[in-house]
Amino acid sequence: MTVSGRRSSTFTRLLRHGFTDPSAAERLLGLPDMASVRSDPVLLDALGAVADPDLALRGLVRLVEAQPPGERQRLLDTLITAKPLRDRLLGVLGASEALGDHLARHPRDWQVLVTYEAADLHPGVAEFELGLADATDPVSLRVAYRRCMLAIAARDVCGTTDVSETAAELADLATATLRAALAIARTSAPADAAQCRLAVIAMGKCGGHELNYVSDVDVIFVGEPVNGADESKAMQAATRLASHLMRICSETTIEGTIWPVDANLRPEGRNGPLVRTLSSHVAYYQRWAKTWEFQALLKALPVAGDPALGEDYIEAVSPMVWQAAERENFVADVQKMRRRVVDNIPAAQVERELKLGPGGLRDVEFAVQLLQLVHGRSDATLHSGTTLEALRALAAGGYVGRADAAQLDAAYRFLRAMEHRIQLFRLRRTHLVPEEEADLRRLGRSLGLRTDPVAELNKEWKRHAAVVRRLHEKLFYRPLLDAVAQLTPGETRLSPKAAGQRLEALGYADPAAALRHLEALSSGVSRKAAIQRTLLPVLLGWFADSADPDAGLLGFRKVSDALGKTPWYLRLLRDEGAAAENLARVLSAGRLAPDLLLRAPEAVALLGDPEGLKPRGREHLEQEILAAVGRADTAEAAVAAARGVRRRELFRTAAADLIGSYGTEDSPAEADPGALVDRVGNAVTDLNAATISGALRAAVREQWGDELPTRFAVIGMGRFGGHELSYGSDADVLFVHEPREGVDEQEASRAANTVVTEMRRLLQVPTADPPLLIDADLRPEGKSGPMVRTLASYEAYYRRWSLVWESQALLRAEPMAGDAELAQRFIDLVDPLRYPAEGLGDDAVREIRRLKARMESERLPRGADPTLHTKLGRGGLSDVEWTVQLLQMRHGWAEPGLRTTRTREALAAAHAAGLISTEDAQILDEAWVLATRVRNGVMLVRGRPGDTFPSDGRELAAVGRYLGYGPGETGRELHVGHSGDMLDDYRRITRRARAVVEVLFYGA
């Protein structure tokens, strides 16, 4: 109502009490049935205290209107005079639209909220059984169930019970409901009931005594024949009873449903029999069960049916649960479970997921259950199915730090409270935080956030989720440090045996050595040790995420020993968020990058610089190397400086490759493997070219000063010229020179040969830096020909003696160092050879095909698997490159895009020119990129080049991780992850490529 355009006093009061639609509320209070209370301040104050005053008032009016006429005033009078009822009833109506609907349909049920006895505050299974005692069919069972839930919700929203007590009450109500449903099923089929014993084992949150308002109730059924009954018939009878029980609870009636009963955690899941005998259960768990099934059994609890049979089941399976950590495949299974992903959550919902999202409830539950499995085999105090009880026991036993446990407890309680209130509103099964402002406001107010409910809710939710994200993995590792650091006398901590068990469970092959490393890094009271204790819990998790955690930890100790006294090292890892994770990835991914780093540990600084992992161009590298050469006193010192730059840049390239392949917490892995291959090829090529330029300058300066008597150029060939080098590739080159004016040709030739010899020597002198091997075997006449020729000599040779394979090799020729004008004249000389006018003749094509076939039959190493050899195998690098090079030589004269030294560029140009179909081009490109990445991965993992997959299981797994294959489920002896999938994929991709090669190259 308004008077003279001004708001009424009632409107203003309603606004002040938290109503969002005061006009509607004013109309409701103006109804005749509400006349006696419409101005009562007690009612308005009570409505203003609930989560949603508008919702509560609507529900109250509906409830009053649903009362018989003579009962309406009695309800209102009781409401005003009895504060416990007022708080409970209005609290429920303001938090749950669904329970408001229930009260409107069953208007007398409000009276269950009137009593306020001591026993009423914390009811158990027996009290709930009394509440359901009159239910004789599915409909009456639903009504009675909602009536009991009404009382639970009232205690919850009023703060009489906390979140764990509410969850326990909901589990007890579920237990009573399962018993009532089984009784109804037995009554309807007495003959079946007489033939069998049936036990209902609760699993999941029901078994763990921590149920939600709306959740599937997970169960397992165990049956046995009664004395003298036929087992087959008894199991059929038990199955009918179990199925009927499930329908009673799950089916939708005029009163809705209770909850789905889910029996899919049983042996063999939905493919297995619904009911098994106890011996059948035991036989399955002994022979076939996976680790996750034992994890599920942590929460097994007999709740209904034959109690003795239920206890026999628990007694039989419990020892197997606590021996799960001794199973052969436990380590790999644990690693797979630890890397639980949210891929199945729609992208738009990930940030709103309370249960499965990052920092969600599942993170806490999983971490606690995993620690129970690892340590529960030797500590019975951990044998609890309830998450918070188990967390308290883990803290009491020293398996989890007390401060961490307290923070995790608080976060879990807050997130579960959010989940409860979200589900309570409409009694729907959901774990998504709502998006609507009104829903968020109601949710925030229900949790006691009243100043700015939406903003406060989002802040608290994000804070607690961040705590969970931070502690989820740290939970595994911090007690390991406490066990070895021994800083606080008298505090409970992990025993060496328990610490070893945990490290073994996390994938460390040598737990004793790992503990020694941890002790060396973190013991003592120095500032350095304190920072290490902060860093190591997170680093250990990143190491465990790799194929070789032991190598990662050992490498970290070596780097820390080398840099421990520098003021910036630990500060970099502590303060630069990406640096520590990047270092962990690099140290645990293989041998090459750690070896490069340990030769000059200060390169770790690159990992903390956002620009540090970007490759530097050739011009920049040449400037740095030539400046270093210019400062050196001798040729050896000059090239040592150049090789030092090369080592640092190789590390930069390898680190960027690994981090791009693995991804980090803040940035996903590179989606385009071709981009990673191109980045490595270009970076290593530019680096080797700059290093050769530096070696050339040093060799010339040592003997001739600023100018060599002959002009001199280095031409890159093979993968060097194609910008496709791997980490361990030799540099294939040709050397060309031309005497300067007035210089005798023999003197020029001696000078050129001397320079080549000195360059090769300097680049291979044994030092801490990796050598750069120069291979000139692609020169005219091969190893029999002169190492260096004049441009005129090359011209004469190619004019008279050149073979088709030499023209093919020249497709990769590109200037790399030395006299640029001379190098360009060499390129002008060979262009007509590699791109012959009108293309190759038929004889030349046949010769190239003959050479390729001969190479396939003669050069593949003895015993090598032709389906897995990356260079010479079926559909490998040679197949793709010869096919592309044949297209270049046949069509390069007419298609400028084909005149490139790079395989992928030439393949794309052939596709653009219509010489190859889109599908065939994609097949060849995919195979070439994959084979190149395998070679790169082998070098990164083993520290030496190789053309085949490693035979060692751990190395094979590391190559798989580099290629994007996660860990698998194989035993700890093999530790090969998804290596089988990787090899199958490689064979499939290269087989398709070979089919294209047969058509395009051989003309099949």
Side-chain angles (χ1 to χ4, degrees):
M1 292 169 45
T2 60
V3 180
S4 303
R6 297 176 60 192
R7 297 292 189 188
S8 70
S9 59
T10 303
F11 182 99
T12 305
R13 289 169 62 202
L14 291 169
L15 201 59
R16 193 167 60 246
H17 278 86
F19 285 83
T20 57
D21 190 352
S23 298
E26 199 170 8
R27 286 194 298 274
L28 291 173
L29 287 169
L31 294 172
D33 288 329
M34 303 297 291
S36 63
V37 295
R38 74 172 55 129
S39 300
D40 196 311
V42 171
L43 177 62
L44 286 182
D45 288 345
L47 286 169
V50 304
D52 188 337
D54 302 83
L55 179 65
L57 180 57
R58 289 197 300 273
L60 177 61
V61 169
R62 290 177 66 203
L63 177 58
V64 170
E65 290 176 340
Q67 301 297 315
E71 295 292 319
R72 295 176 182 176
Q73 195 57 47
R74 174 172 169 260
L75 167 59
L76 292 173
D77 290 344
T78 308
L79 187 72
I80 296 301
T81 57
K83 186 178 188 305
L85 171 68
R86 185 166 64 247
D87 291 344
R88 289 178 168 200
L89 179 57
L90 295 181
V92 168
L93 292 173
S96 178
E97 185 177 73
L99 289 177
D101 292 343
H102 172 85
L103 284 168
R105 288 196 308 274
H106 303 281
R108 294 184 182 276
D109 280 3
W110 67 272
Q111 296 177 50
V112 303
L113 304 180
V114 174
T115 56
Y116 202 74
E117 303 299 328
D120 177 55
L121 295 181
H122 300 290
V125 176
E127 286 77 18
F128 288 124
E129 285 189 287
L130 284 174
L132 303 177
D134 295 335
T136 57
D137 56 61
V139 173
S140 59
L141 182 59
R142 280 152 177 70
V143 175
Y145 176 83
R146 289 280 191 276
R147 188 182 303 124
C148 292
M149 180 181 280
L150 187 65
I152 294 175
R155 287 186 290 273
D156 179 14
V157 299
C158 291
T160 306
T161 54
D162 65 19
V163 68
S164 61
E165 291 169 330
T166 300
E169 289 185 15
L170 288 165
D172 286 341
L173 175 56
T175 295
T177 305
L178 289 169
R179 292 178 182 180
L182 182 56
I184 294 172
R186 285 177 175 276
T187 301
S188 67
D192 285 346
Q195 290 189 69
C196 66
R197 300 165 63 200
L198 179 65
V200 183
I201 311 298
M203 304 287 284
K205 282 188 160 51
C206 184
H209 220 222
E210 51 188 15
L211 199 61
N212 299 329
Y213 277 102
V214 187
S215 174
D216 292 357
V217 170
D218 297 308
V219 299
I220 286 176
F221 295 107
V222 189
E224 292 288 347
V226 298
N227 292 336
D230 177 81
E231 181 175 305
S232 175
K233 291 181 178 179
M235 297 311 293
Q236 291 173 11
T239 300
R240 287 191 293 270
L241 288 174
S243 298
H244 193 186
L245 178 152
M246 295 174 70
R247 291 196 303 275
I248 289 169
C249 297
S250 305
E251 286 183 345
T252 301
T253 70
I254 57 171
E255 286 292 339
T257 185
I258 300 178
W259 18 246
V261 176
D262 188 340
N264 288 336
L265 291 178
R266 66 186 184 270
E268 298 180 77
R270 63 185 61 203
N271 297 319
L274 183 63
V275 185
R276 288 177 184 256
T277 62
L278 178 58
S279 61
S280 177
H281 277 282
V282 171
Y284 173 84
Y285 287 121
Q286 286 176 337
R287 294 191 62 189
W288 307 111
K290 296 182 172 62
T291 300
W292 71 262
E293 293 178 278
F294 293 112
Q295 182 184 8
L297 285 171
L298 281 171
K299 294 182 177 294
L301 180 72
V303 292
D306 190 304
L309 180 56
E311 289 301 329
D312 289 345
Y313 174 86
I314 296 300
E315 188 175 334
V317 302
S318 186
M320 289 185 276
V321 172
W322 304 112
Q323 292 162 9
E326 299 170 8
R327 292 161 55 89
E328 183 185 4
N329 62 344
F330 181 74
V331 170
D333 283 349
V334 162
Q335 290 187 325
K336 182 180 179 183
M337 290 189 293
R338 277 185 55 250
R339 297 180 185 94
R340 177 195 58 77
V341 296
V342 296
D343 291 349
N344 293 329
I345 306 173
Q349 296 180 358
V350 170
E351 295 301 318
R352 297 193 293 125
E353 253 285 352
L354 271 179
K355 182 178 180 180
L356 301 176
L361 293 162
R362 182 60 60 82
D363 280 349
V364 182
E365 293 160 358
F366 175 82
V368 169
Q369 290 164 20
L370 184 54
L371 290 176
Q372 286 180 275
L373 285 175
V374 172
H375 300 295
R377 49 184 158 165
S378 57
D379 189 344
T381 66
L382 304 181
H383 297 188
S384 171
T386 307
T387 300
L388 292 179
E389 285 183 8
L391 183 58
R392 283 194 294 273
L394 287 165
Y399 304 104
V400 172
R402 291 185 183 276
D404 290 347
Q407 289 189 62
L408 214 54
D409 181 284
Y412 187 74
R413 287 175 182 274
F414 184 85
L415 296 174
R416 282 301 301 272
M418 282 184 69
E419 182 184 45
H420 278 185
R421 302 302 166 79
I422 290 168
Q423 293 184 350
L424 180 60
F425 177 51
R426 289 200 173 97
L427 289 182
R428 291 179 183 168
R429 183 174 180 266
T430 180
H431 309 287
L432 290 179
V433 178
E435 294 180 288
E436 296 297 325
E437 181 90 5
D439 293 328
L440 291 170
R441 181 176 184 274
R442 180 185 59 257
L443 179 57
R445 283 174 61 91
S446 75
L447 296 171
L449 308 173
R450 297 301 173 92
T451 305
D452 186 351
V454 176
E456 291 177 70
L457 173 67
N458 282 320
K459 180 180 177 182
E460 285 297 294
W461 170 33
K462 298 302 182 187
R463 181 174 70 83
H464 285 296
V467 166
V468 173
R469 278 199 302 273
R470 180 170 54 84
L471 292 182
H472 167 229
E473 299 256 345
K474 193 177 82 167
L475 206 64
F476 297 99
Y477 306 109
R478 182 169 292 285
L480 293 169
L481 302 183
D482 294 339
V484 297
Q486 301 183 358
L487 291 179
T488 310
E491 183 175 326
T492 305
R493 59 174 59 90
L494 285 180
S495 66
K497 178 182 177 183
Q501 288 174 339
R502 184 172 302 187
L503 283 164
E504 188 177 8
L506 293 162
Y508 287 81
D510 189 348
L515 280 173
R516 288 195 299 272
H517 298 326
L518 292 177
E519 184 172 8
L521 288 164
S522 64
S523 292
V525 295
S526 68
R527 180 174 175 275
K528 180 176 76 170
I531 296 176
Q532 288 282 24
R533 287 191 293 273
T534 301
L535 291 170
L536 278 165
V538 183
L539 285 166
L540 284 169
W542 287 324
F543 294 147
D545 193 45
S546 73
D548 195 349
D550 302 79
L553 180 56
L554 174 61
F556 182 69
R557 180 179 176 184
K558 288 179 177 178
V559 172
S560 295
D561 287 346
L563 295 177
K565 294 182 180 179
T566 60
W568 56 267
Y569 168 63
L570 290 175
R571 186 171 66 242
L572 170 79
L573 298 184
R574 183 192 63 194
D575 298 340
E576 297 293 336
E581 184 177 5
N582 289 345
L583 178 62
R585 299 297 182 206
V586 166
L587 290 176
S588 57
R591 296 179 185 173
L592 178 65
D595 286 349
L596 293 170
L597 178 60
L598 289 169
R599 289 169 184 168
E602 65 276 2
V604 77
L606 299 175
L607 302 176
D609 181 357
E611 301 295 313
L613 296 178
K614 291 183 178 179
R616 302 163 79 197
R618 187 185 306 185
E619 183 179 353
H620 190 113
L621 291 169
E622 278 194 9
Q623 286 178 354
E624 181 180 5
I625 287 175
L626 293 178
V629 168
R631 291 190 297 269
D633 294 330
T634 64
E636 285 81 1
V639 176
R643 289 173 64 181
V645 173
R646 180 172 179 267
R647 181 240 314 125
R648 183 197 70 209
E649 295 303 316
L650 278 175
F651 172 73
R652 186 197 306 271
T653 304
D657 190 16
L658 288 167
I659 293 162
S661 298
Y662 270 68
T664 65
E665 290 185 356
D666 294 327
S667 61
E670 170 63 61
D672 179 8
L676 289 169
V677 164
D678 292 343
R679 202 174 302 151
V680 171
N682 285 323
V684 179
T685 298
D686 287 346
L687 177 55
N688 285 357
T691 305
I692 289 173
S693 292
L696 174 59
R697 174 73 62 86
V700 170
R701 193 187 64 174
E702 183 79 357
Q703 188 165 344
W704 292 279
D706 292 335
E707 186 174 274
L708 192 65
T710 185
R711 302 172 72 185
F712 185 90
V714 182
I715 309 297
M717 298 288 285
R719 299 194 178 284
F720 188 24
H723 291 251
E724 295 161 1
L725 288 179
S726 180
Y727 299 102
S729 300
D730 296 350
D732 290 316
V733 300
L734 297 178
F735 297 110
V736 57
H737 79 104
E738 185 177 69
R740 296 187 185 277
E741 189 174 345
V743 176
D744 177 73
E745 188 165 325
Q746 287 189 334
E747 179 189 349
S749 179
R750 283 195 301 271
N753 277 283
T754 300
V755 164
V756 168
T757 301
E758 182 67 356
M759 284 173 59
R760 299 180 77 185
R761 181 187 74 83
L762 291 171
L763 290 171
Q764 296 178 47
V765 170
T767 69
D769 297 316
L772 174 54
L773 302 179
I774 293 181
D775 186 341
D777 289 351
L778 291 175
R779 64 188 184 270
E781 302 178 75
K783 293 181 180 179
S784 303
M787 183 69 70
V788 191
R789 287 178 182 262
T790 63
L791 185 62
S793 176
Y794 275 108
E795 184 177 9
Y797 175 86
Y798 287 139
R799 184 175 63 249
R800 297 186 60 189
W801 309 109
S802 176
L803 300 174
V804 68
W805 74 262
E806 292 177 297
S807 297
Q808 183 182 355
L810 287 169
L811 286 167
R812 303 286 209 134
E814 181 174 298
M816 289 294 170
D819 190 299
E821 192 269 339
L822 175 63
Q824 186 55 52
R825 285 163 55 204
F826 178 88
I827 296 300
D828 294 339
L829 168 68
V830 301
D831 270 352
L833 292 170
R834 54 184 180 176
Y835 310 123
E838 305 302 324
L840 287 177
D842 291 343
D843 290 344
V845 171
R846 279 194 294 272
E847 175 65 9
I848 288 177
R849 288 171 175 166
R850 186 189 67 79
L851 288 171
K852 176 75 168 68
R854 178 182 169 189
M855 185 177 69
E856 289 176 11
S857 63
E858 295 180 1
R859 291 185 58 191
L860 191 70
R862 184 186 301 273
D865 184 343
T867 67
L868 293 175
H869 197 280
T870 59
K871 184 176 181 181
L872 301 175
R874 179 196 68 190
L877 296 171
S878 176
D879 270 0
V880 177
E881 289 166 2
W882 280 60
T883 301
V884 172
Q885 288 163 10
L886 183 58
L887 289 171
Q888 288 181 280
M889 296 184 75
R890 298 180 78 174
H891 303 282
W893 66 278
E895 294 291 341
L898 289 171
R899 298 171 206 160
T900 174
T901 62
R902 308 180 188 214
T903 302
R904 296 188 74 209
E905 279 189 12
L907 182 57
H911 171 249
L915 301 174
I916 182 172
S917 70
T918 300
E919 181 182 8
D920 287 351
Q922 290 174 342
I923 288 172
L924 292 180
D925 186 69
E926 182 182 20
W928 189 89
V929 167
L930 177 58
T932 304
R933 290 211 77 212
V934 171
R935 295 180 93 206
N936 287 348
V938 169
M939 183 66 186
L940 286 167
V941 168
R942 302 177 67 193
R944 60 183 188 275
D947 291 319
T948 60
F949 288 88
S951 57
D952 176 79
R954 192 177 281 268
E955 290 180 347
L956 187 63
V959 172
R961 294 302 308 279
Y962 170 74
L963 295 178
Y965 292 84
E969 302 178 64
T970 49
R972 63 168 66 119
E973 300 303 322
L974 294 177
H975 201 278
V976 295
H978 287 303
S979 299
D981 293 342
M982 172 177 64
L983 299 179
D984 288 346
D985 286 347
Y986 183 85
R987 288 189 173 103
R988 174 179 54 79
I989 291 168
T990 53
R991 183 173 62 246
R992 294 173 64 206
R994 178 65 184 199
V996 174
V997 170
E998 292 286 351
V999 174
L1000 292 181
F1001 184 81
Y1002 287 109

